[in-house]
Amino acid sequence: MLRHANDIISALGTALTRLSYQARDNHELLADISTRMQAQVQRTRMSPLSRIVGSLRLHVRDLDRSTGKEVTFVGEDSGAEADRQDLDQVYEICLHLLRNAVDHGIEPPEVRQARGKAPTGLIRLTANTSSDRLNLVIGDDGAGIDREDIKQHAPRLGLLSQPDSKHVDDVMVLDLIFTPGFSTKSHISELSRRGVGLDVVRTTIERMGGSVTVMSVPGQGATFTLALPLTLMRTRGLLIYVNNQIFALPVDSLRRVV
């Protein structure tokens, strides 16, 4: 009797082990199918960045004519793609940064020549994808961002105290250009009037789950680097349970878990 019971228990254990292996295999198969289906759906949503590069080039041409400056625009998209629903926002972001480069960065031909530069300024847009991110770099060979000018205007705008403005590092100084309403120009040109502030650019990028940084070398130009998600359709999240409810927090928005 006892031996018969042990045989039954052993058979049940073997059956359960086999079923657990089958369940695991089925789970992996379903996960693989789901991943491939999601990838196919995502592919249908993607659109090449080259769709907007040509239009951006035309806008730069119009901008240099309206300002009397000479500007060459080079766009290198490297076959990069983005979610077509996000492409309009990417276009508006790039358009403002290019407008900003023409208006604030590139000097008039005579000024460039006096500084030993070619009379025609250069604005370059490069794009590439890495993992699930779209990386955009927009740089110009203009005058660069005047840090001392920013330091002088920051106290007047209440962004820094006068003592702090003398000791603040370059990274923080450059970051001030993304502050709402910040400007160092004494007059607003027609080109500036048509634009939006860099604060809106950063807000838009961060709302998309991306980031923007800026580097500048006086007399050599400024470079804006953008990192954006390829698509907002899929994102990794942390599941949490609160009062029997399940919430998902985007991993990109988490700083630490305590």
Side-chain angles (χ1 to χ4, degrees), residues 66 81 106 145 165 201 232:
S66 65
E81 295 179 318
I106 302 297
I145 301 173
S165 66
V201 170
L232 300 181

Side-chain angles (χ1 to χ4, degrees), residues 17-247:
T17 300
R18 185 175 65 256
L19 289 173
S20 68
Y21 285 145
Q22 289 179 352
R24 184 193 64 186
D25 291 343
N26 289 337
H27 178 270
E28 292 177 351
L29 178 61
L30 287 173
D32 180 60
I33 293 173
S34 176
T35 299
R36 285 189 283 120
M37 288 182 62
Q38 193 173 47
Q40 289 297 325
V41 172
Q42 182 173 324
R43 288 297 307 164
T44 64
R45 295 169 59 96
M46 303 303 284
S47 184
L49 204 67
S50 58
R51 278 185 51 194
I52 66 173
V53 172
S55 182
L56 290 173
R57 181 177 289 107
L58 292 176
H59 273 285
V60 171
R61 185 182 303 169
D62 292 339
L63 292 173
D64 66 13
R65 289 173 179 171
S66 65
T67 57
K69 298 178 180 180
E70 299 174 6
V71 185
T72 296
F73 174 75
V74 177
E76 302 171 348
D77 60 83
S78 301
E81 295 179 318
D83 191 315
R84 61 167 51 92
Q85 290 188 343
D86 301 332
L87 208 56
D88 288 342
Q89 295 185 74
V90 172
Y91 174 78
E92 291 298 327
I93 291 168
C94 291
L95 181 59
H96 176 70
L97 291 177
L98 292 174
R99 181 184 291 131
N100 196 66
V102 174
D103 192 27
H104 298 270
I106 302 297
E107 312 97 323
E110 62 275 11
V111 174
R112 291 179 60 86
Q113 288 181 311
R115 293 175 177 175
K117 296 182 178 182
T120 301
L122 173 66
I123 300 177
R124 184 184 301 273
L125 182 153
T126 59
N128 63 75
T129 56
S130 59
S131 184
D132 59 347
R133 310 295 281 183
L134 169 64
N135 304 305
L136 291 168
V137 179
I138 297 178
D140 65 73
D141 68 346
I145 301 173
D146 191 331
R147 293 168 175 79
E148 293 304 317
D149 202 16
I150 295 175
K151 289 180 181 180
Q152 291 177 12
H153 283 77
R156 179 175 57 81
L157 297 173
L159 302 177
L160 286 175
S161 66
Q162 198 67 45
D164 288 341
S165 66
K166 299 178 181 179
H167 306 289
V168 66
D169 60 48
D170 285 348
V171 174
M172 183 176 289
V173 170
L174 291 177
D175 198 62
L176 290 176
I177 65 175
F178 295 104
T179 304
F182 184 84
S183 176
T184 60
K185 301 194 75 172
S186 58
H187 72 283
I188 299 177
S189 67
E190 182 62 28
L191 184 56
S192 297
R193 187 178 295 113
R194 292 201 302 267
V196 295
L198 285 174
D199 61 304
V200 177
V201 170
R202 169 170 278 182
T203 299
T204 302
I205 292 172
E206 291 181 345
R207 188 182 299 123
M208 294 172 67
S211 62
V212 56
T213 57
V214 59
M215 294 180 61
S216 178
V217 178
Q220 297 183 30
T223 301
F224 290 82
T225 302
L226 290 64
L228 300 165
L230 282 178
T231 175
L232 300 181
M233 181 182 70
R234 181 181 65 181
T235 184
R236 293 183 180 275
L238 173 69
L239 294 180
I240 62 174
Y241 296 83
V242 181
N243 293 331
N244 296 322
Q245 296 186 69
I246 303 176
F247 298 89

